[in-house]
Amino acid sequence: MYRINLLKQRLANQIAAGEVVERPASVIKELIENSMDAAATQVNIEVEQGGIKLIRVRDNGLGINKDDMKLALARHATSKISEVADLNAIDSLGFRGEALASISSVSRLCLQSKVNGSDEANGWQVQAEGQDMAIRLEPAAHSQGTTVEVRDLFFNTPARKKFLRKDRTEFARIDEVVKRLALSRFGIEVNLTHNQRSVHRMLSAESRSEKQRRVALLCGPAFVDNSVFVDLERAGLRLWGWVSLPTFSRSQADLQYFYVNGRIIRDKLVAHAIKQAYRDVLYHGRHPAYVLYLELDPAMVDVNVHPTKHEVRFREGRMVHDFLFSALHKALAKITPSDQLAASQTLPPDVGSLPPEPNNPNASLQQGSLKFRETTTPRQSGYSPGGTNGASSSQQLATNLAALSQLHDPDAEVPPLGYAIAQLHGIYLLAQNREGLVIVDMHAAHERITYERMKQAAVTEEIKMQPLLVPISIAVSQVEADCAEQQAQALMQLGIAVERVADESIVVRQVPSLLKDSNVEQLIRDVLSDLLEFGSSERIQARQDEILSTMACHGSVRANRQLALPEMNALLRDMEATERSGQCNHGRPTFVFRSLDELDKLFMRGQ
Ligand code: ADP
Ligand code: MG
């Protein structure tokens, strides 16, 4: 017969360590989080041999009382919560009280500390020994704050050690963890060394430009140059941070940092809301880049969902989703050529002259901070995809000369995209503004303008409904049928008439005429699943936009059509007034800008 025996303390802790201590990087994460919870303003991290040989994290935080030192290494011992109610509003990074116990069960760990304001000359240190993890407490020379030293990780758990990679790979993961944490608390000075070589020295950042410098250091200057700063607040929710311009997209979702009350998280709801916000402006299959901070009442979010705390559960998920989506959607829509140009003027000249990256043709152009400028509704356009507008060539010449002369008059107001000067190979429009040369892809620009106009028309005019000759009946789950029933009114506003006909069956009787040739059943199924998971769905809108986008593309100025100068100028003015006009319907840029400085450099003038 099997007998039951109580596990030795160390073994029990090693089992718990399986969940949170996967590799050196996870140790670093736990230790830095502890320093942050202890209100440290400086954290020094020393790593040797990818963290396998040594990890030492020292902070200047509150420190640990001599009498608590032993408990700090015990499992289920924490200073951060004391009763179940505390779990409902956690404002610290840790709360499970098992990190130090777990780490010390699989390594040689020494904890040294001295509390803030203690009048003792020395601090104290503890270590856990043997299978029972008996704690040895001794005096130690330590100034205010805490040091945790972790040597020989996994020396006693060979199965774990086998899964470790080369030092370099383990260090790369550590670097990523440090980066995430450094982005979460700008006020903390962070130093990182590997094998005695300094890797990062980050001073604490207070102002926005200092913060921006840290973001540039950690995420690359190109990200900052090609992103806008957002800061929005609504109903107790605040969202701030940097989001990439649609034209600065990435092939992988690797530059995406999202923090909830200072804790980095990966969350389906958040990812969905952001993806939706970029839907209409991103090149197909590309991913946006962002460093974003959501701040809300800790009671509104449950972090006790997963041992590594990378997942959270929002108590008002739909409200959060809606807030994120609308905030970012609005921010992206408001990026107009004048914002982009205004931003490009703040560039130091040498940054502007970098050659454009392949997936980022106007790297030097679109950057800086976002101004929430109200875009005006586009006027009736002065150009048409088909014919010319009939102005005689001498008339054109006169208007054009008058326009260009504005450029030399310092008091005259020159529009951001300037005045057209020529057309190049029937594809590009060349224009000059005060600062330099603007090159516009005519088709891309016209396409976006037409598309935005069609979308507006679709909203303002009633969506035309098309009763289906043969109503489509769809077998769904009871939950989905409930959802369809509850949302029938909302769906009706989008032009879709659904009706529940049985416990697990719905019937679609009407759809917007734009969608009559779509796969309606699939669309409704996807919409219901979105509604159940996120509380909202953009799919109907997305499908219609796709169709409008194709129509806009076919109706737009094709290559090789000669435009008269007034037509070109009208196109420029419309671009300035149209939302999202910095990129075409497919997410490609519609214009690039080269300043005179950059052009001078090309010709080595003044060197
Ligand atoms: P948790 O962070 O979940 O409370 P840990 O095992 O990580 O659990 O730490 C146990 C306790 O030790 C903490 O609650 C805290 O009181 C103390 N502690 C750990 N690291 C530090 C530190 N760097 N500064 C001050 N106190 C610390
Ligand atoms: Mg902790």
Side-chain angles (χ1 to χ4, degrees), residues 30-31 33-34 37 80 93-100 309:
E30 294 295 335
L31 299 186
E33 286 189 350
N34 279 345
D37 282 345
K80 298 166 194 175
L93 295 166
F95 57 86
R96 302 169 63 96
E98 47 184 22
L100 292 184
K309 299 171 237 138

Side-chain angles (χ1 to χ4, degrees), residues 275-290:
K275 200 171 145 211
Q276 252 184 31
Y278 272 93
R279 169 177 66 74
D280 211 12
V281 287
L282 211 59
Y283 194 65
H284 184 70
R286 308 276 304 174
H287 302 273
Y290 51 82

Side-chain angles (χ1 to χ4, degrees), residues 410-583:
D411 297 326
E413 192 149 335
V414 178
L417 292 175
Y419 297 111
I421 40 184
Q423 197 174 350
L424 187 72
H425 288 287
I427 302 170
Y428 299 108
L429 182 166
L430 308 185
Q432 64 175 330
N433 65 9
R434 256 199 221 296
E435 292 78 23
L437 172 69
V438 177
I439 308 173
V440 175
D441 178 335
M442 290 190 305
H443 174 69
H446 190 207
E447 190 179 289
R448 171 59 77 174
I449 292 166
T450 314
Y451 175 46
E452 290 298 327
R453 217 168 266 165
M454 287 166 93
K455 281 199 294 185
Q456 275 212 325
V459 186
T460 36
E461 290 169 24
E462 284 280 303
I463 299 168
K464 290 193 194 69
M465 302 264 270
Q466 180 102 358
L468 295 166
L469 287 178
V470 185
I472 302 172
S473 76
I474 309 176
V476 293
S477 70
Q478 195 159 347
V479 190
E480 288 168 326
D482 288 346
C483 174
E485 200 172 357
Q486 284 156 16
Q487 303 279 342
Q489 201 62 36
L491 288 167
M492 195 61 175
Q493 275 168 10
L494 292 167
I496 295 191
V498 282
E499 195 187 316
R500 183 182 198 159
V501 288
D503 246 13
E504 301 189 339
S505 172
I506 57 173
V507 166
V508 184
R509 300 194 190 283
Q510 237 170 234
V511 296
S513 27
L514 269 175
L515 299 183
K516 64 181 195 304
D517 296 324
S518 302
N519 182 343
V520 173
E521 176 172 345
Q522 193 56 51
L523 182 67
I524 299 294
R525 283 188 187 286
D526 292 345
V527 166
L528 289 178
S529 107
D530 278 356
L531 286 173
L532 284 169
E533 194 161 1
F534 309 113
S536 77
S537 177
E538 280 270 296
R539 282 184 203 269
I540 298 171
Q541 202 55 47
R543 187 75 198 99
Q544 292 195 78
D545 284 353
E546 242 170 76
I547 295 164
L548 289 176
S549 164
T550 318
M551 287 164 57
C553 181
H554 292 310
S556 298
V557 187
R558 309 306 317 193
N560 287 319
R561 202 180 71 73
Q562 288 302 316
L563 289 188
L565 279 171
E567 289 181 295
M568 295 190 226
N569 280 323
L571 179 63
L572 294 173
R573 301 296 80 80
D574 272 350
M575 284 174 72
E576 285 157 2
T578 302
E579 291 193 335
R580 307 178 193 86
S581 65
Q583 57 279 320

Side-chain angles (χ1 to χ4, degrees), residues 286-422:
R286 308 276 304 174
H287 302 273
Y290 51 82
V291 177
L292 283 172
Y293 303 85
L294 176 67
E295 289 166 10
L296 74 174
D297 179 354
M300 304 253 301
V301 43
D302 186 1
V303 292
N304 187 21
V305 180
H306 194 269
T308 59
K309 299 171 237 138
H310 275 319
E311 284 168 36
V312 293
R313 206 172 289 134
F314 294 105
R315 291 193 219 282
E316 296 285 342
R318 291 174 180 196
M319 189 177 98
V320 171
H321 184 281
D322 181 54
F323 170 67
L324 292 178
F325 168 73
S326 52
L328 293 175
H329 186 71
K330 198 164 136 197
L332 292 169
K334 293 279 179 276
I335 301 171
T336 65
S338 31
D339 289 313
Q340 295 164 347
L341 286 164
S344 74
Q345 250 109 86
T346 61
L347 270 182
D350 56 342
V351 178
S353 66
L354 289 175
E357 293 164 37
N359 63 349
N360 182 22
N362 45 355
S364 65
L365 168 66
Q366 305 184 320
Q367 62 97 45
S369 65
L370 179 68
K371 285 175 236 86
F372 284 86
R373 175 194 304 262
E374 282 304 315
T375 43
T376 50
T377 335
R379 282 156 283 121
Q380 207 37 54
S381 86
Y383 55 91
S384 60
T388 55
N389 65 355
S392 79
S393 56
S394 62
Q395 248 176 316
Q396 279 177 26
L397 201 61
T399 7
N400 195 45
L401 283 175
L404 285 176
S405 68
Q406 306 257 307
L407 283 170
H408 303 292
D409 175 357
D411 297 326
E413 192 149 335
V414 178
L417 292 175
Y419 297 111
I421 40 184

Side-chain angles (χ1 to χ4, degrees), residues 30-31 34-35 37-38 59 61-64 71-74 77-80 93-101 111 113 145-148 309:
E30 294 295 335
L31 299 186
N34 279 345
S35 299
D37 282 345
D59 67 52
L62 299 171
I64 307 172
L71 276 178
L73 296 194
T78 177
S79 55
K80 298 166 194 175
L93 295 166
F95 57 86
R96 302 169 63 96
E98 47 184 22
L100 292 184
L111 167 70
S113 193
T146 304
T147 301
V148 181
K309 299 171 237 138

